[in-house]
Amino acid sequence: MESVRAARLQPGLSALRSLRPGVTGAPPPAPGAALPAAPPPLGLGLPPPPPPLGLQGPAAPPLPGCGPPAVLREAVEAVVRSFAKHTQGYGRVNVVEALQEFWQMKQSRGADLKNGALVVYEMVPSSSPPYVCYVTLPGGSCFGSFQFCPTKAEARRSAAKIALMNSVFNEHPSRRITDEFIEKSVSEALASFNGNREEADNPNTGIGAFRFMLESNKGKSMLEFQELMTVFQLLHWNGSLKAMRERQCSRQEVLAHYSHRALDDDIRNQMAMDWVNREQSSPGALSRELASTERELDEARLAGKELRFHKEKKDILMLAAGQLGSTHSSSC
């Protein structure tokens, strides 16, 4: 019985294996067919999750070289100054060190950081400015340099600033999922989707599943909740959730399984293979999706938004491109 359940939950259509997000065995799209559009945040018919915090930049990014929106720059600088004042006294703050110290402090106070407190930086290869840097926080959230950065050091500082601002505000009590927050979020979702209260109490509806997700994560912060939602965003974008629905998997089954599965190399490799298959069936599909993803990533980065979904998409597509390249080389 359990093996049947596992087979139904398997996102792909290939042979029975452990639960995989891939859809490698699914029929490829016809040449020229439209690929799935950018997904809503959950892809299960659920309302979008709340944003990590309300001080992220406006949706419209500045033109390259024009600097960040004034309101975003001022907000970031104010948080950095405040953090420095309360932790290091007055004076210039080394924001890269401050961000690392912040997460080490969280760990020392009992935060459950499964992979430790290390903050990881990644420079985008470039031989000339503007330089771009991404920073991944211990929980998985990702931010990037949001300013025009003439040096690699400045790009690193810019990424650290926006990450520190989000980290600090994420500690505020208003950023925790509480009973009051759940009721408010569900009520807003009902109003937005013209739903009724019975839907919110039924776990087989989209809004009911949304409530289930919130209640399952009670006490967590917005960043922690967003990190969980990234998995479902990617499953939807890749077409994996559609494959599960076609097997009559319930929302509850999908949510229960993937709520406890971290995004790992196995998921990424399966998704990359799906894009290899799409490219082989519809040449140019991969490059079009990659170009679109890079635009979305840049827009979100310059607006100071959390980037993991966009960044993971790009990494998966680049992995697929690498697999295609190696396949082509081996066949020559």
Side-chain angles (χ1 to χ4, degrees):
M1 189 69 182
E2 187 63 27
S3 62
V4 173
R5 178 176 176 275
R8 290 176 60 245
L9 271 172
Q10 181 185 351
L13 299 178
S14 52
L16 298 182
R17 287 178 288 185
S18 60
L19 295 180
R20 294 278 179 92
V23 292
T24 303
L35 291 170
L42 296 185
L44 288 166
L46 312 185
L53 56 89
L55 284 181
Q56 291 184 331
L63 294 174
C66 294
V71 63
L72 178 59
R73 182 180 64 248
E74 291 171 6
V76 172
E77 294 295 345
V79 171
V80 171
R81 287 195 301 270
S82 177
F83 183 81
K85 175 182 175 182
H86 288 92
T87 60
Q88 302 175 18
Y90 291 97
R92 182 177 176 84
V93 59
N94 183 322
V95 70
V96 173
E97 290 183 1
L99 179 63
Q100 184 62 65
E101 289 170 3
F102 175 89
W103 284 93
Q104 288 174 341
M105 177 179 65
K106 277 181 64 68
Q107 186 179 45
S108 68
R109 293 180 178 180
D112 182 19
L113 304 178
K114 295 180 175 60
N115 298 315
L118 184 63
V119 174
V120 179
Y121 293 88
E122 177 187 347
M123 288 295 306
V124 175
S126 177
S127 59
S128 61
Y131 294 99
V132 174
C133 181
Y134 296 103
V135 56
T136 301
L137 301 179
S141 295
C142 179
F143 298 91
S145 50
F146 65 100
Q147 299 159 293
F148 181 94
C149 299
T151 67
K152 293 180 180 180
E154 185 56 39
R156 188 180 176 97
R157 285 193 292 269
S158 179
K161 284 179 184 178
I162 193 71
L164 180 59
M165 183 184 82
N166 277 268
S167 298
V168 170
F169 273 94
N170 194 54
E171 296 301 302
H172 194 275
S174 66
R175 308 312 301 169
R176 294 280 160 181
I177 298 177
T178 62
D179 289 329
E180 180 182 5
F181 178 86
I182 292 172
E183 288 304 318
K184 180 180 178 182
S185 298
V186 170
S187 295
E188 290 175 352
L190 287 170
S192 299
F193 288 80
N194 297 318
N196 54 56
R197 180 52 60 176
E198 287 73 23
E199 289 183 60
D201 296 329
N202 182 354
N204 290 318
T205 66
I207 293 176
F210 181 53
R211 175 188 281 277
F212 170 81
M213 288 297 295
L214 288 170
E215 290 181 343
S216 299
N217 289 275
K218 193 182 300 182
K220 292 186 178 180
S221 69
M222 291 299 100
L223 277 182
E224 290 172 319
F225 188 60
Q226 181 65 40
E227 289 158 6
L228 172 63
M229 291 301 96
T230 299
V231 177
F232 292 102
Q233 286 178 288
L234 288 169
L235 288 170
H236 177 82
W237 163 73
N238 190 58
S240 304
L241 291 178
K242 181 180 179 181
M244 284 185 268
R245 285 197 299 271
E246 290 172 351
R247 287 199 179 89
Q248 286 76 50
C249 292
S250 70
R251 289 187 178 93
Q252 290 291 85
E253 287 178 299
V254 176
L255 292 171
H257 177 73
Y258 283 98
S259 293
H260 301 285
R261 181 170 182 181
L263 188 57
D264 56 24
D265 287 341
D266 183 57
I267 291 178
R268 295 184 186 97
N269 287 329
Q270 284 291 310
M271 291 186 179
M273 185 55 64
D274 296 334
W275 281 96
V276 168
N277 292 339
R278 289 184 179 112
E279 176 64 21
Q280 291 172 339
S281 300
S282 180
L286 181 59
S287 60
R288 289 192 297 271
E289 186 69 15
L290 182 57
S292 173
T293 296
E294 288 178 332
R295 285 194 301 271
E296 293 170 359
L297 178 59
D298 280 342
E299 290 174 1
R301 175 179 60 81
L302 292 170
K305 295 183 177 182
E306 203 278 328
L307 304 174
R308 191 178 185 193
F309 171 54
H310 303 295
K311 181 74 164 49
E312 290 284 357
K313 279 172 61 178
K314 180 179 178 180
D315 290 347
I316 288 166
L317 294 169
M318 293 297 291
L319 180 60
Q323 291 175 356
L324 279 167
S326 61
T327 300
H328 176 74
S329 299
S330 62
S331 64
C332 293

